[in-house]
Amino acid sequence: MLYFTSGHTARGFVQMAETNVSDVRLFILLRGGGECAQMECLKEIEERLQKADVQFDSIRSPWNALMPEGLIVGNKAIWCGSLAPDIPNEATVRHAAIHPDMLSAPPAQKTAHIAYDCFREALLIHDEWESIFINRFDPKKADRLAQKWIAALLPGKSDDKQKTIHRFLGAATPTGPVDYIPELTEGLKKRYLIKGRAGTGKSTFMKKIAAVAEQKGYRTEMYHCGFDPASIDMVIVRELGFALFDSTAPHEYFPGNNEVDVIIDTYEELVEPGTDEIYEKEITALSKRYSEIMEEGTAHLLEAYKEKESARTATPAAASRTAEMIWNYL
């Protein structure tokens, strides 16, 4: 399974892997060589696990969505040391060093923080955008809509041990937004694509359904917005075979199978008709400002990643040697 547990957000760099590693009993932390070399080490281990047909979770890096920042294999986890989450008290910790075989480079600059400043500014623009629809939103209808779908999706209780897992739906990366919705929802009986506008209750709707799923004892996967972690972009209850997710940009999808995919449109259901038309000029201006500042933030992330790459002190060959050592240990 592929997913993100860390992200470049409007609230800075956020790590929320703790609920994903609560059952881990052996933590191997990579040290030395720089984060890029550590991710190369993890990628080699990932490829070996795939060839051996071993089940595992690949926690992808928001710096490079093709590379893992951590791997969970049963009750074992391997992680980039500087990106690791809080480790469970019951877990044993081991360290694996990637020995430097390059001249030391100067430390990376703080360009990532400039990107986070851009994202914070974009969040303020987004809040202004939301306010247009919030002022024409019917909260009573929203409550009724949530109760209707709670009754339809969660008729009974679970006999399993309840657990809530927090992850990111996607991530802002140096090459733009990335998500793993198709992989995470593959094989589910139903996918509910939540359409709407900013401020039309998509996140609140999903939070209400997730809260009842938790109360009824279901294992609930909550996927936070990679831009604003306070917002929820997807909920999955695998025991019941369904997912609900925010299907608007930058993770917009359309029904691919009418027997599986169902659209729920919170704009159509909950907002006064004609809002788009009445505020067309304001929405267009806000959308333009938002896109521009997000593009600027992404450009700064790319510069920050280049700085990370230049700060590495180990070659791919050194990373491979450490991967071999860890594979033999596993």
Side-chain angles (χ1 to χ4, degrees), residues 4 8 62 65 119 169-180 226-227 248-253 290 294-295 298 301:
F4 295 101
H8 305 296
F119 295 157
L169 174 72
T173 80
T175 56
V178 175
D179 70 74
Y180 292 110
F227 173 59
T248 61
H251 35 75
E252 185 172 20
Y253 290 85
Y290 176 80
M294 288 297 291
E295 287 176 7
T298 300
L301 271 187

Side-chain angles (χ1 to χ4, degrees), residues 14-241:
V14 176
Q15 173 65 271
M16 58 172 63
E18 284 77 10
T19 55
N20 296 270
V21 299
S22 58
D23 296 329
V24 169
R25 292 300 174 261
L26 174 63
F27 243 101
I28 301 174
L29 300 180
L30 297 174
R31 301 293 187 192
E35 286 177 15
C36 292
Q38 292 175 15
M39 287 189 283
E40 287 169 351
C41 173
L42 289 168
K43 185 66 175 178
E44 180 166 332
I45 296 170
E46 176 182 281
E47 291 169 354
R48 289 178 179 231
L49 290 167
Q50 289 171 333
K51 289 179 181 177
D53 200 25
V54 176
Q55 286 197 340
F56 65 96
D57 287 2
S58 178
I59 296 80
R60 291 304 173 100
S61 168
W63 286 109
N64 182 345
L66 298 177
M67 305 292 278
E69 70 175 38
L71 299 170
I72 301 174
V73 189
N75 65 353
K76 303 180 181 71
I78 314 146
W79 226 280
C80 293
S82 61
L83 302 175
D86 291 339
I87 295 172
N89 293 331
E90 301 85 354
T92 300
V93 180
R94 296 283 183 268
H95 297 273
I98 299 177
H99 296 290
D101 59 354
M102 296 170 63
L103 292 174
S104 295
Q109 301 296 311
K110 300 297 182 182
T111 311
H113 292 285
I114 303 175
Y116 302 152
D117 287 341
C118 289
F119 295 157
R120 274 190 285 272
E121 184 177 345
L123 182 58
L124 295 175
I125 297 169
H126 195 269
D127 289 344
E128 187 179 349
W129 192 349
E130 283 186 335
S131 68
I132 293 173
F133 296 96
I134 289 172
N135 291 331
R136 296 173 65 83
F137 173 82
D138 189 330
K140 291 183 179 178
K141 281 186 178 180
D143 285 339
R144 290 196 293 271
L145 182 69
Q147 291 306 316
K148 167 189 169 182
W149 283 102
I150 287 168
L153 295 173
L154 301 164
K157 294 185 177 181
S158 174
D159 295 326
D160 289 344
K161 184 178 179 181
Q162 199 283 325
K163 183 178 182 180
T164 301
I165 297 173
H166 294 273
R167 298 166 177 163
F168 280 108
L169 174 72
T173 80
T175 56
V178 175
D179 70 74
Y180 292 110
I181 290 173
E183 291 86 352
L184 289 166
T185 61
E186 184 179 7
L188 295 176
K189 296 177 183 176
K190 284 289 183 182
R191 302 193 320 162
Y192 298 92
L193 286 64
I194 315 300
K195 301 288 186 178
R197 311 289 187 271
T200 58
K202 300 185 297 295
S203 177
T204 302
F205 173 72
M206 286 186 277
K207 284 178 180 178
K208 288 179 179 179
I209 291 174
V212 175
E214 291 174 311
Q215 291 169 8
K216 293 192 171 190
Y218 290 101
R219 179 185 172 96
T220 307
E221 298 173 21
M222 296 184 71
Y223 292 80
H224 296 248
C225 172
F227 173 59
D228 179 7
S231 181
I232 294 297
D233 274 356
M234 181 162 72
V235 173
I236 299 179
V237 181
R238 295 190 186 276
E239 185 178 345
L240 297 177

Side-chain angles (χ1 to χ4, degrees), residues 304-319:
Y305 183 69
K306 290 177 181 177
E307 290 164 2
K308 276 184 175 291
E309 181 63 37
S310 68
R312 66 186 296 151
T313 59
T315 62

